[in-house]
Amino acid sequence: MTGPRTAARRGETGFVAPDGQVWEVPAFPCPEVVVGADYAEIDGERVPLGDDEADPRSAATAVLVAQARRLRRGQGAIRAKVRTADSDVVWQAIVTANGELFDATPAAGAARSGWSRWRVLAGVGAAVVLLAVATVAVVASDRTPPPVVAVSSPPPVTGTPAPYPSLPPPGYGGQADWSAPITPGSVPLIAGDGAIITVPGTAGSPVLAVLDPATGAPVWTTALPRDAATSSTGSGLHLSGIDRHPVVTAATSDGLDWWGMDGAHTSGSVSIPAGATVSFAGTSPLVTVPGQRAATISGGRLVERAVPAGAVALGAAGDTIVAANSVGQVWRLGTATAETPPSPVTVPTPAGAGPLASIAGYAGLGSGTSPVAHPEILVASWYTADPATQLVGLIDPVTNTAVGAPLRVPATAIASGHWQPSPRNLLATVGTVLVDARDGVARALSTTWSSTSVTDTAAYGTRNSDRYLVSPAGQEAPTGSGVIPIGMAGTRAVVTSSVAGADTVYGLPVAAGPVLPTPSVPVSAPPPQPSAGPVPSPAPSPTTTTPPPPAPPAPAPAPPPAAPVPAPLPALVPGPGPVPR
């Protein structure tokens, strides 16, 4: 759009734009917009303005366009009633999902220039066009290409230093270098470059803010959809990659929105089919669709393909979907073979192993990660001649070759837990096995280990009811009652705290002087990361085998927020069972 359009005229099936396009417009929703000289309200709620945003009309327009896109998608539009703060005269507007704005106020006799009604006084003697369309940031839907999102770049104000109100993690000081408010229940993310993604605790529409890890100052911000999920229960914000760019995603009630973490912060959105789920085990979002189908996001659109019968889609690596079944067959489903899957490969069986016990997990290391020898890792386990043990091995699904030597573990090691990856899939635990995906190494943990949360730099949990952490190298150390950090941003530990209903994120520096043990007093830990329970594969088992006893069920995850779209990856594809003796 380069300027305002003329008024639309009422058509038999909706509103007809000057170019002849028909826009179907329902009677509801119809938000009410009030614009003042330095503020805007939509349905009684103030529209947040960036620190450098002087025109409230642009902010209000962006919210309306986002609402039209979210509710009506690429070919739809919504109504809005608009007035100025100092007038009771109301104009009707049509706001389309691709960013167009039309005056739809009924007029008697010949059609008048609708835009003459869209002029209001922003100050004494100053006439400006309400909701200036030229400044709209059009966000991509599944029917339009992704453009550039309008983001605000606040002035470089350092975050507020403050004392941390809880016991810090061992080795870190109690005086934070910076602090920033966040929305209650939200958990920040840490990108590959250390940038911290937060949802500030502000009134009105939610906002996404990216903080500098050294100062805590906002680097850029953008408005989130009103129904965006921002909690830590698995349906909120996630780091991923789309079209070879690192992105942060947010689930909505019926779709997925994203913003680029590099360059011009390109944004986009796709509709998610009813009953579908989204997972983030790979380098890109995986959309699992009912009817044995799955999809990736490419060019701002969902690209579906068939998943072989009996197989489970584990993750997405760019435009490729990785799927596996219970007998160890693995498919790489590309867009060129969308409806006719290619022939599978069978995972290599290590020496001394029997039948496959399970495909226990999949991890893809995406954008923002240093180059590694194996960008994708598949975790598998096999029965052995000794009923008390199993072999665990890592496999590169791109080359279908073993990564390192297999690890012998107790037979209950994998079955005792579920696949629990870190936000960027660099580290994971499955039962009492630690998987360092970056270095391609699996390590056995204490037989009494139980994971609480996994960050990109350490796994946290309990051992015989005592709180411990384990490094990627497998070194276990007690943590006492110090708070569990979300992760590391440079040399600072990123932690949160909730006091009197107000949540805050802090950057804690390394402690000066000797590090003292953390006292063992009760301190609330952040909510555990979402986990996935066993997902049985529907593939038929060979008739010559007997299924093993079922694994203990994983704990049920916390209830999801209003947006039910994302879901953890299928974590466990059981094998056909051991050979009868």
Side-chain angles (χ1 to χ4, degrees):
M1 295 282 306
T2 57
R5 297 291 185 92
T6 58
R9 65 183 185 274
R10 190 176 302 275
E12 294 180 358
T13 60
F15 283 86
V16 182
D19 59 3
Q21 181 173 358
V22 175
W23 293 94
E24 297 181 358
V25 186
F28 181 84
C30 184
E32 297 185 3
V33 185
V34 178
V35 178
D38 58 355
Y39 73 94
E41 291 182 353
I42 297 179
D43 288 337
E45 293 187 17
R46 287 290 180 104
V47 177
L49 305 179
D51 291 344
D52 61 345
E53 177 63 75
D55 188 354
R57 299 161 302 163
S58 298
T61 300
V63 172
L64 292 174
V65 171
Q67 187 174 1
R69 171 181 50 80
R70 184 170 63 251
L71 297 177
R72 301 290 297 156
R73 297 301 164 188
Q75 299 301 314
I78 63 171
R79 302 173 186 268
K81 295 181 179 179
V82 186
R83 69 175 179 86
T84 60
D86 57 355
S87 173
D88 293 329
V89 178
V90 176
W91 295 288
Q92 296 183 22
I94 302 297
V95 183
T96 73
N98 68 358
E100 293 186 280
L101 182 66
F102 302 110
D103 177 11
T105 304
R112 294 177 293 175
S113 172
W115 286 98
S116 65
R117 305 188 191 98
W118 287 86
R119 304 181 69 84
V120 297
L121 290 179
V124 178
V128 294
V129 177
L130 176 64
L131 304 178
V133 180
T135 63
V136 171
V138 182
V139 185
S141 74
D142 54 343
R143 299 176 180 174
T144 55
V148 174
V149 67
V151 299
S152 302
S153 297
V157 179
T158 303
T160 306
Y164 184 58
S166 303
L167 290 174
Y172 293 90
Q175 178 69 23
D177 286 342
W178 53 262
S179 64
I182 57 175
T183 297
S186 66
V187 175
L189 297 173
I190 303 176
D193 60 359
I196 303 163
I197 298 97
T198 69
V199 180
T202 56
S205 300
V207 175
L208 182 143
V210 178
L211 310 183
D212 184 290
T215 65
V219 178
W220 59 271
T221 65
T222 188
L224 285 170
R226 284 181 179 271
D227 63 344
T230 57
S231 74
S232 60
T233 59
S235 296
L237 303 179
H238 288 273
L239 292 168
S240 192
I242 294 176
D243 291 332
R244 301 176 185 261
H245 292 280
V247 300
V248 56
T249 70
T252 63
S253 58
D254 62 352
L256 190 73
D257 289 44
W258 66 86
W259 297 264
M261 293 294 293
D262 60 352
H265 309 301
T266 300
S267 72
S269 175
V270 292
S271 301
I272 301 299
T277 59
V278 183
S279 57
F280 298 86
T283 63
S284 304
L286 169 69
V287 182
T288 303
V289 183
Q292 201 64 16
R293 299 182 67 81
T296 54
I297 300 172
S298 180
R301 301 172 182 268
L302 279 186
V303 181
E304 283 193 29
R305 64 216 71 175
V307 176
V312 173
L314 301 177
D319 291 335
T320 300
I321 293 174
V322 179
N325 67 8
S326 63
V327 294
Q329 292 179 315
V330 177
W331 288 262
R332 297 186 68 81
L333 309 174
T335 56
T337 56
E339 300 304 324
T340 306
S343 299
V345 298
T346 301
V347 295
T349 302
L356 182 75
S358 70
I359 300 294
Y362 168 81
L365 282 62
S367 301
T369 302
S370 301
V372 294
H374 306 282
E376 299 176 52
I377 290 291
L378 199 66
V379 184
S381 64
W382 293 264
Y383 298 105
T384 67
D386 179 4
T389 65
Q390 289 185 3
L391 289 180
V392 174
L394 305 185
I395 298 164
D396 185 328
V398 178
T399 60
N400 196 39
T401 56
V403 178
L407 176 70
R408 187 173 292 272
V409 297
T412 58
I414 297 294
S416 65
H418 41 257
W419 180 250
Q420 196 163 349
S422 68
R424 293 168 53 217
N425 300 323
L426 303 181
L427 198 65
T429 61
V430 52
T432 58
V433 175
L434 176 74
V435 177
D436 182 351
R438 179 160 37 192
D439 291 339
V441 179
R443 295 183 171 90
L445 300 174
S446 167
T447 57
T448 61
W449 173 270
S450 178
S451 290
T452 301
S453 65
V454 182
T455 72
D456 290 326
T457 55
Y460 295 82
T462 58
R463 198 177 73 178
N464 292 325
S465 300
D466 295 324
R467 296 175 61 174
Y468 272 74
L469 67 80
V470 58
S471 70
Q475 298 171 327
E476 298 182 24
T479 61
S481 294
V483 72
I484 296 176
I486 295 168
M488 299 296 299
T491 60
R492 294 171 179 82
V494 179
V495 297
T496 60
S497 180
S498 180
V499 177
D503 287 19
T504 307
V505 60
Y506 300 82
L508 300 183
V510 175
V515 178
L516 301 177
T518 302
S520 293
V521 298
V523 175
S524 299
Q529 295 182 348
S531 58
V535 177
S537 169
S541 300
T543 57
T544 57
T545 60
T546 302
V565 177
L569 89 145
L572 195 63
V573 181
V579 175
R581 307 186 185 284

